[in-house]
Amino acid sequence: MPGAQRTPRVLAVDAGGTMTDTFIVDETGEFVVGKAQSTPEDEAEGLLSSAVDALRQWDTTPAQAFPQIVSGVFSGTAMLNRLLTRSGLNVGVIVTAGHEDILQMERGIQTYLGYSYADRLHVATHHHNEPLVPRNQVLGVRGRIDLMGAEALPLREGEAREAAQQLLDAGVDAICVCLLYAYRNPAHELRVGEILAEEKAARGLNGDLPVFLSSEFYPSRREFPRLNSTVIEAYAAEPSRATLRRVRERTAAYGAGFELRVMAAHGGTVSIDSKQLATTLVSGPIGGVIGAGWLAERLGARNVICTDIGGTSFDIGLITDGRHELDATPDVARFLLSSPNVLIDSVGAGTGSYVRFDPFARRPEVSPDSAGARIGVCWPEGGVDTVTVTDLNLILGRLNPDYFLGGDIDLDVERARREVARQLAEPLNLGVEAAAAGILELFESSLRNEATGRVLGKGYSPVDYTLLCYGGGGPLHVAGYTEGVPYAEVLVPAWAAGFSAFGCACADFELRLDRTVDLPLLPVHPPEQRVAMAGLIEATWAALRESVAAEFAKSGFGEDDLRFTHAVRMQYYGQLIDIELDSPVSTLQTQENLEALISAFNAAYRSTYARSAPSPELGYLVTQAIVRGSVDVEKPRLPTFDEVPGTPPLKGGREVWWRDGFVWTDVYEMDQVLPGHAIQGPAVIEAPATTFAIPPGRQAWLDRHQIFHLETR
Amino acid sequence: MATIDVVRGGERERHGIGWSGLTLQKMLADSERRFAETGFYAGLDRLELKECDPIGYEKIFSRVRGGLVSARETALNISASPIVRELGELCFALYTPEGDSVALSTGIIVHVHTMSSAIKYMVRNGWEDNPRIRPGDIFANNQPTIGGVHNADVQTFVPIFWEDELIAWAGGVCHVMDIGAATPGGAPVGPTTRYEDGIDLTCTKIGEEDTIAAWHWKRCELMSRSPKSYILDERTRLAGCHMIRDTVERLILDEGVGRVKTFMREAIEDGRRGFKARVRAMTVPGRYRSPGFLDVTFADKETLPARARRDFLMHGAYEARIGEDGHFTVDFDGSSAWGWHSMNATPSGVTGLMWIQFTQTLIFDDKVNDGAHFATTVVAPEGTWANLDKDECSTSGAWGILFPAYSGYPRSLARALQSRGFIEEVVGSFSTPGNVMQGGGIDQYGQMSGFMHFEVGAQGQGAKYVLDGLDYGAAPFNPEGDMGDAEMWELMAPLLYLGRRVKPNTGGLGRHRGGSSFESAYLVWGTENYELQNILTGAVFSSPGLFGGYPAATSYVHTIYGADLLDRAGRGEAYPVRDGDFEAPEFLEIEGDRVHRQDALTMLRAVRTGDVYVSVMKGAGGIGDPLLRSVEAVQRDLDEGHLLPRFSESVYGISDRDAVRRRRLESVRSVSDWWAEQRERVLAQDLIDAVRVMYAESMRLSPRWAAEFRGFWDLPEDFEFDILTPTVRAPASVPGKVTPAEACAEYLAGARAHQPPGDAAQPGPAHSGGVTAETLGDLLDERLGRRQVKAIQSGPKDLDRFDKWVAVLQERVHYDDPIVLPFGEGLNIVRQRQDGELVIRTDAGADLCRWDENWKMHAALRVRDTTESMRELYPAMAHPDPEWMELREFHCPLSGHLLEVEAVPPGHPVVHEYLPDITGFYEGWLGRELPR
């Protein structure tokens, strides 16, 4: 269908570190994927080039297409880069007096966050992060709220004023305030906020210098993650707002009239004008899980395990009963955060992972560190001299040296073979291919354990789950890491390499706000009293609904357009970890409704920690009240084509080492596989951005939705 | 089914539940016999599975370890204790039926072997028959004489059966918040006998059919002051053990039971070999000595029984011997006696701490399991604090002595690593965590509760050779240090944080600074009836320096009862939120009934709303001569609050370093002069009782130590300290005398470093990674960024590092004589060209002595044994009373380079820290001649 007759409806962009992927869907559900080099200095450039690349496939242009698009989602890395390169705003911080060293001391856990098993034990490697705010710009103010929310020590307003003046004199760009127990009672923080406003006004700085109160942005228990989130909001998110506005302006210049939204860590998309923008710090990987959830719903799968292999890591997400899990105390870039993230376990094992022989233990080892974009010894220009997983794939014939990234990069198979022989095969006393194949098996078996471990850890069995594989490196290893595991199905979307961008397009326009309430419901409380006490949750929900509505009003939505979900975080009284559940009822004014919430919690607890007995005898603590508000947005439709029987045309063939020897293997081009086609292993399906390996004994067929089903014959 | 009764020939024959129908006792006896006969675990001279199917073997290992790590990560969410949930004081492991660990999770690794001891206890004592071991059973132990450090570490065991055969055990352990001892907390200070140590579980069967018995729940509820937390911790351990059982069952289904059993045996033997290979590759055979000390001040503690009310110094006589094919021996011979206090340990606890040290240093990236146990020996002589000869002793505060005693481990290992050139791994002594604040009473919720504050989980880490020590982020008992959020701790006890600030001058000063620690100040809040105590606020140095770096500061107690802080705040006045400077604490301005002094331990004392309690934590020892610290680094210390300004001059001499060196050389004396003078003091027994009783105990318990003591000071063969040692059985020491030279010669004559038979000269070849000589030079000269250093630390270790290291050093020294063995910062063992002698030479060219003598006896000495001289380095309240401990500084006589600082009580022999088996090193381990 020529471009002029198409109606593009949804645009989703994943601007990654190296490539920007664009995913555009039309009203029939057909889609195109575009790719372009990322442009970190001005992400709008990469977005446009990538959109041009995508739309070219439909013979159209942004100027023609953008006015027709009704929904646009952007996911970038600018904010994360600002954090990683420590190039954010100059921030000042006001904390409770006596805690001025908090950012310098950080939590001990941040000195080894993200480390491998070995390095967590290996204490010599632990080190502190460079603080986001210099020590002399963290000032204290006396005054204390206690854990019940009562004032223990009065706020010394004069100190707040001095602190404000000192920070303004220092020329900071933004000021954060995080006082102990402000989530419980924000009175002191609000007063400090007023004083800051007065001092700013005295200098004619009205509105120019943003102030971030922790109680307003991230009102949750634990001061350190709360402070981190608040500081990141000022340090990295605030300047990114300008970047995002520039992206919006550039698309508007092409006639785009849609609201540009950003993927947030809780799994919904938010407006770029959203207050809590730091929740969009990591979005690409989240997009993958959301896309998987969307797909699962359409395919009728309740439980899905999402797996994504990139150059450096293997990411696992879980969708159970149609819901992804949330991590309430997540960490990003070695910072503990206060706002929940879609739970993704990242294991340091990717296609660029180094493979070494440990001379002391005399064993091969796939290391947690990786060559990343430098590929392996097979690419001399990359300067890598340690063998990587990609080198192993190459010498076994599973990768095509002449078609890596579509042939843009030449790989040196002989060099790889020489190095594998020298570094691994000889010390292991094995043949070169046997060593390479064995180590890949070890690699894939550890991925297999990680994936099944996630399922089993929840008390489920793999037969209850559909495994979905995406990411550039996923299709190459999916057969290996699903071998022998009885997953309900193993699915590989044909657009696996652009799946994260696709996922962003699938997300709801949804804002999530939460607030700590810490309401105990104990065995000693009679039922009537419990219901009266639950009024606190009601009231908090109402306040949160109001804030959500106010945020949506910025995007022109009225209350009638909004759909609200009421949720809580809850635990057995005395425990430290709570779990999140959507409330089955939206009001708690009756005993039945409150009981319904408690039963839902007990059920959710059992499914989270299947093997441990719930402890209802302790009573309950509702730690947080949560409201999610969403509005309808246009989403992709699942493409549907007619299935044609047969096999795709053969692209060629080569010798590929599978289990214990070379086998002549057919090679296909992914573009030429049509819905209905089935391919028997051994086979390799190649695309510029990915390679799908089908070993002997397995087969894959493409369904009418462009999804491969990997099966055992 | 525990035992299968089989009718055979009319007689009932009982079959064991172990592998192939053996009893567990038979399995253990067979395993021990085979090890004794062959030197291989279970007699495995070949690792067939690993050799024939190296990949399959690794796959099983990664599955087992993955299962353990994920069991821990999942289970800890169930706990109600921040000690477990936030600070990760939890560990799981898998054991063979006879109790040898196969693999473990992260966490408090100390317990891998303590749980092994407990399983072996059950095996040896016939638990198989009574109370029987059956599928679904649950056992619990926390009894340190059976296996453990102190009662607060509670262990849970679940047997894993497969078709009537006990295949393995899952074990889990965590540190509980309150153990129901005589005083509240997890490491109570008050107990003087074990009858006051709290809940006692002696490998008790607490449940059947996967269910914990109701009576056990009831007992825990009645006996712990924090029953909720205790109960949820019990559930945490059980849930984790059950997850591990599932992992093993699935593994058996996939791999077959035979292969899993073979794997379990081979993994341990593999661990043993890997450990020894690592020791041979990274250390130097030899004898290493580094004693540590703990002060106990009970004389004024009126609530204690009369027999316990005395002051004394405890001696942790640490000696490591590395030799043979990589065998590692830790020997506490010469240590003080056990006593009527809680700082006693058991061999199980002593072994446990060695485990933590190994897994954080030598074997972090290898198969961590009981293989290392079979490659090591721990000598804990009976009657010392390390091995009670009476079961009635309290061990609830065992860590108190274990920490300073084991401060010898990092210092000794550092010498070996420095010799081999693995400088990126050199970390000085850890801080001895304290103050460990504990208490209990009616809390802010109006309920009785007990509490132990675990922000001690983030103290200073020892200085590194190539970096400063990690500040406020490390704990010797758990590699994953953390201090938790204030808003979490305030849920647990009626204490409001007034502040949590970096404490200046806590870290030991040096070329690299030991990690700093912090102080927390609390306002007691929401209670009229609570009690608090201090432990490990020691007043003697417990984290010594290395290579010329200084020990970390001591600590102090500061509590204000009936403080007027709330009144001041109410009037709108400012109030302090920290003490800050040791010497000028800000809380002095708050009025009230003040206790402000150096005191290693305080008893419970009642507090109520408005009282102020300051908790001062400890930093770690420094490395290297402070005059070598860059001026920029000193400035950074000042900016970040690690250093009080006045010490930038008195210690670091930032304005004129040459002047400081000149002053040093003016104030030093020869060791022989000092020795002669001190000899008279020892002969006259002119020492405080607390120190004399320590020497008397060491001498009465160890004839060897007594003989060496007399030999060092050239005392009469029957010299004896004239003081009572009520907990030592021997009334007097055995006469005898051994000179230092004789002791060295005896050690070297018996040293037999060699390659193991059947093993090639070196571990397998390594072709990738490792550092080049150029990078090593950059690392030494500190031209690398933090990221690059981390990459070298985490990367593979190069096998030819030693040769590169010697070459790098040779290029930097001003002499041509070949370096034979690097011997610490600024010292090398050198072959003198003119006469072929091996001597210890300073970088400035002073030949101090022969290689096998104690070079310190030939250095230029300055002793700081007065308060005035200590104050040049430490603020008041941050250093010991010189009657308890003195500082001895050993310099190069030519340059004034400070080479070593020794922190010991007066009268202690000069420590001969490092006696390398230099011939064994070259000929036995490197497989080549000593350089000519």
Side-chain angles (χ1 to χ4, degrees), chain A residues 440-450 480, chain B residues 59 62:
Chain A
L440 272 189
E441 246 185 274
L442 181 63
F443 171 72
E444 289 171 348
S445 96
S446 78
L447 302 187
R448 185 158 64 228
N449 295 341
E450 293 286 354
Chain B
K59 275 158 65 177
S62 92

Side-chain angles (χ1 to χ4, degrees), chain B residues 619-643:
Chain B
I623 278 188
D625 184 344
L627 292 189
L628 300 175
R629 184 165 184 79
S630 74
V631 172
E632 299 75 50
V634 175
Q635 188 55 50
R636 207 166 49 238
D637 288 345
L638 293 171
D639 295 344
E640 294 178 359
H642 297 290
L643 185 69

Side-chain angles (χ1 to χ4, degrees), chain B residues 2-3 14-18 21-26 122-123 125-133:
Chain B
T3 44
R14 283 169 74 82
H15 279 217
I17 59 171
L22 295 178
T23 64
L24 299 184
Q25 279 177 339
K26 181 81 167 75
M122 290 193 268
V123 172
N125 289 282
W127 254 236
E128 188 172 351
D129 292 320
N130 177 8
R132 302 182 80 178
I133 299 164

